[in-house]
Amino acid sequence: MTTPSPPVPQRLRRLVLVLGDQLDAGSAVFDGFDPEHDAAWMAEVAEESSHVPSIKPRTAVFLAAMRHFRDELRSSGRPVIYRELDDDEDGGLVAVLERTVRAHQPESLHVVHPGEHRLLVGLKEAASRLDLPLTIHDDRHFYTTLEEFDAHADGRKQLRLEYFYRELRRRHDILLDGREPVGGSWNYDADNRRSFRRGGPTGLQEPLPFAPDATTKEVLALVDRELGDRAGDLSRFDWPVTRAQAKEALDDFIRHRLPLFGDYQDAMWTDQPWLYHSRLSAAINLKLLDPREVVDAAVDAHADGMAPLNAVEGFVRQILGWREFVRGVYWRFMPEYVERNHLGATLPLPHLYWTAETDMRCLQQAVGQTLELGYAHHVQRLMITGLFAMLFGADPRVVHEWYLSVYVDAIEWVELPNVLGMSQFADGGLMTSKPYCASGAYIKRMSNYCGSCRFNPSRATGDDACPFTTLYWSFLAKHREELKKNHRLGMQLKNLDRKSAGELRAIRKQAETLQRDLTS
Ligand code: FAD
Ligand code: SF4
């Protein structure tokens, strides 16, 4: 049942645009909102889930969260003009907005800074066509303003998380003892690389599920009806889609998974998609949760003796560090950033990324759970799907479009730098100090995938050669001149140099066959 809207004022002063990832009733766009004179505007449009082919769980998370937010706004007395996906009118977000403006004749438009360059440009152009003032409000959901990031970045050739993260720890007084880091070290990454023993994770508690209510069920039916041909599955849909649910999910993570988050941050295990991860990214990115409350909850858990420092610092670094850092990179370098292709990779993405049909157990697991749940954890994204795409030589723009389509937390400002910069090295080292390249041996060390795979991670050629290992050596050989500029790859290149010309020829041939077979 849709909550009825308070009447939209006849003479509309402000039309307040609320985009699908701006679901915060306390955001800057609502400062001074007066229900007697102003109205909020929200729109579900097919274009937002088709400019890249958004899979069903991703679209469903956005629409379910939007509809709940619409109802909350209405219940709190704010008029909302809301356009549903199956309303008859055609067109993208901007076209729908223009129709609303013509119908209601507002005096001005207001929006929080969008999370995508394409939308920012589209909205500015629409306002200018409509001859209406558009105010773009700061997004208060971030610790850092874009100006603060620029001040940090100015004059630096390369941007490194570590320096930025320390600045933020000091500026916001997080995990500090005076001016110095609690525990004496800024970063406990070295303690956060454990893998599981033979028996796998023990005492794991599944994340709290959120069974779809009537509103969410309507959305699931709508997505199946309108976007039935899209990849993805909705049968296990249990994401938090309201602020109340997101707060419960945070509490559940802090109690049950944060204590081991650090130790097993990089580990992977068959049929265990969540392990000790928070699965809070979608809730934070949709603005159902404020990153400050998430960071504070983790810091408090440490202060109360509920979670060790390596877990809490590791978790804080992801949110206070990486999340803020990639946003800064995105806005500083867009729109040219998306064009970058430092390694000149041009192949299409193998079709298995849309089906999970492959004998490679690690990819079958990572892609399979992605299509089913809209989720994979960081190391699966970086060291399975991302690594394979880079070693394979897939065009980074196509890789970016896949990532933007498949994850429930994917919004371009956060997805693009992670994909293009961190996982594909397509920005040539602007934001990471080296390409994340590894062979099947890494996956063997960090997971149990290889144990049930028909390939052998230590073999680069032959019938049972692991495709990661074959492509790893051929990648190093192909990009040798470029990679040797980076001293952090010295050991890997030394190992390459130990291979005979004959071995390298056989590896190259096997890599070419793989590339041909997987793209045919
Ligand atoms: P946890 O492992 O529990 O981490 C805690 C929180 O830290 C996350 O919820 C997230 O808010 C934040 N975080 C962690 N790592 C990063 C990071 N590298 N950048 C920004 N925030 C981070 N994250 C997205 O939110 N959207 C994306 O589209 C996205 N695409 C990615 C693509 C690639 C190739 C890679 C390598 C990483 C990507 N990430 C993305 C970052 C990270 O993988 C996800 O945030 C994380 O897996 C979400 O699961 P979680 O909530 O269980 O995270
Ligand atoms: Fe993946 Fe290779 Fe291990 Fe198979 S052997 S799971 S393809 S890394």
Side-chain angles (χ1 to χ4, degrees):
M1 257 282 283
T2 309
T3 310
S5 176
V8 174
Q10 291 245 312
R11 289 202 49 200
L12 194 57
R13 186 182 62 152
R14 289 184 184 178
L15 188 63
V16 167
L17 319 183
V18 180
L19 304 178
D21 60 342
Q22 301 181 341
L23 310 181
D24 173 16
S27 86
V29 83
F30 288 112
D31 290 353
F33 186 96
D34 177 354
E36 298 291 321
H37 298 106
D38 307 329
W41 173 87
M42 300 175 75
E44 300 173 0
V45 286
E47 184 192 64
E48 290 309 301
S49 67
S50 59
H51 73 284
V52 294
S54 180
I55 68 166
K56 291 180 195 171
R58 176 173 183 264
T59 304
V61 163
F62 274 78
L63 299 192
M66 284 170 72
R67 288 188 180 196
H68 282 96
F69 186 69
R70 166 200 65 190
D71 293 346
E72 279 170 32
L73 286 180
R74 287 178 173 171
S75 302
S76 70
R78 300 182 200 190
V80 183
I81 302 167
Y82 193 93
R83 195 260 190 192
E84 297 198 345
L85 189 69
D86 50 359
D87 286 354
D88 280 343
E89 310 153 308
D90 301 328
L93 195 83
V94 168
V96 177
L97 173 64
E98 293 190 3
R99 275 200 293 274
T100 308
V101 166
R102 278 193 288 275
H104 292 274
Q105 302 284 321
E107 289 168 19
S108 63
L109 302 175
H110 289 251
V111 70
V112 166
H113 196 292
E116 205 174 309
H117 190 269
R118 174 185 64 93
L119 280 177
L120 179 65
V121 172
L123 291 175
K124 283 184 179 169
E125 287 173 355
S128 136
R129 265 196 309 277
L130 293 161
D131 201 17
L132 271 184
L134 167 69
T135 306
I136 298 176
H137 297 261
D138 271 353
D139 193 339
R140 294 199 290 236
H141 259 260
F142 293 91
Y143 282 92
T144 323
T145 63
L146 298 177
E147 293 72 32
E148 283 167 346
F149 185 84
D150 281 342
H152 167 86
D154 281 348
R156 291 176 200 253
K157 266 202 190 136
Q158 294 165 325
L159 300 172
R160 293 292 172 260
L161 171 84
E162 196 57 35
Y163 305 116
F164 176 71
Y165 169 57
R166 288 181 194 186
E167 268 180 35
L168 260 70
R169 287 264 299 271
R170 285 210 163 110
R171 190 179 309 150
H172 297 281
D173 192 10
I174 294 173
L175 290 176
L176 284 191
D177 194 354
R179 294 281 294 157
E180 297 310 311
V182 167
S185 175
W186 288 103
N187 180 322
Y188 291 86
D189 212 19
D191 297 340
N192 291 358
R193 295 184 188 141
R194 283 177 70 180
S195 52
F196 298 112
R197 288 167 188 270
R198 247 168 189 285
T202 48
L204 256 186
Q205 180 147 339
E206 289 276 307
L208 191 65
F210 297 93
D213 63 4
T215 303
T216 301
K217 279 184 188 155
E218 247 176 50
V219 164
L220 300 184
L222 173 76
V223 170
D224 259 339
R225 201 168 58 241
E226 298 287 320
L227 306 168
D229 56 339
R230 292 287 165 74
D233 178 21
L234 295 174
S235 58
R236 285 181 63 186
F237 189 94
D238 63 358
W239 288 97
V241 290
T242 65
R243 170 150 173 79
Q245 291 178 340
K247 285 202 301 193
E248 278 187 73
L250 170 61
D251 187 54
D252 175 65
F253 165 68
I254 298 285
R255 280 171 195 276
H256 301 300
R257 299 193 300 288
L258 176 63
L260 288 177
F261 173 87
D263 285 0
Y264 298 112
Q265 202 174 338
D266 290 0
M268 298 170 279
W269 200 259
T270 305
D271 294 334
Q272 293 291 350
W274 320 111
L275 295 167
Y276 299 99
H277 292 270
S278 68
R279 82 163 202 162
L280 292 172
S281 49
I284 303 174
N285 293 352
L286 299 187
K287 318 287 160 59
L288 301 175
L289 284 178
D290 191 299
R292 294 171 191 80
E293 70 189 315
V294 179
V295 164
D296 290 350
V299 170
D300 289 350
H302 176 59
D304 296 344
M306 281 167 55
L309 187 55
N310 73 317
V312 172
E313 186 283 316
F315 184 72
V316 166
R317 179 158 21 97
Q318 307 312 314
I319 295 181
L320 179 69
W322 279 113
R323 191 168 180 276
E324 300 282 325
F325 183 71
V326 297
R327 176 174 182 255
V329 168
Y330 179 82
W331 285 108
R332 187 169 170 88
F333 296 101
M334 277 300 275
E336 61 83 16
Y337 193 72
V338 70
E339 310 290 342
R340 293 195 184 194
N341 187 352
H342 184 70
L343 298 175
T346 53
L347 290 181
L349 195 63
H351 189 57
L352 69 90
Y353 277 75
W354 292 105
T355 61
E357 284 166 16
T358 170
D359 286 348
M360 290 179 268
R361 186 75 167 137
C362 53
L363 270 169
Q364 180 256 321
Q365 282 280 306
V367 176
Q369 71 171 68
T370 295
L371 299 179
E372 189 180 10
L373 306 165
Y375 180 87
H377 72 64
H378 186 74
V379 170
Q380 292 175 306
R381 296 188 205 196
L382 184 64
M383 299 307 287
I384 306 278
T385 43
L387 173 63
F388 193 77
M390 181 181 74
L391 299 180
F392 186 76
D395 180 338
R397 188 160 189 145
V398 181
V399 182
H400 143 62
E401 287 170 0
W402 181 79
Y403 276 93
L404 190 56
S405 305
V406 296
Y407 290 109
V408 293
D409 54 31
I411 301 169
E412 199 174 86
W413 66 264
V414 54
E415 172 274 335
L416 186 67
N418 269 303
V419 173
L420 222 75
M422 193 187 305
S423 90
Q424 302 301 295
F425 203 65
D427 68 7
L430 173 78
M431 60 169 267
T432 51
S433 58
K434 71 177 183 80
Y436 283 91
C437 56
S439 70
Y442 173 85
I443 296 170
K444 182 178 178 211
R445 190 162 69 248
M446 297 312 297
S447 76
N448 70 338
Y449 296 147
C450 303
S452 56
C453 182
R454 88 165 183 79
F455 301 111
N456 180 344
S458 55
R459 294 196 53 122
T461 53
D463 273 355
D464 64 346
C466 164
F468 279 80
T469 304
T470 309
L471 292 171
Y472 167 73
W473 292 117
S474 99
F475 176 89
L476 287 186
K478 180 172 176 191
H479 297 291
R480 194 180 192 298
E481 286 313 300
E482 165 66 26
L483 301 179
K484 79 175 188 207
K485 295 178 204 154
N486 190 320
H487 70 279
R488 294 192 63 199
L489 293 173
M491 185 54 85
Q492 282 167 284
L493 293 176
K494 229 183 213 162
N495 289 336
L496 176 72
D497 291 342
R498 292 204 182 97
K499 301 228 174 270
S500 68
E503 270 179 289
L504 285 176
R505 249 194 324 275
I507 287 171
R508 192 167 60 241
K509 199 158 159 242
Q510 181 133 353
E512 283 166 1
T513 307
L514 254 172
Q515 286 164 326
R516 199 184 53 236
D517 289 353
L518 286 176
T519 48
S520 65

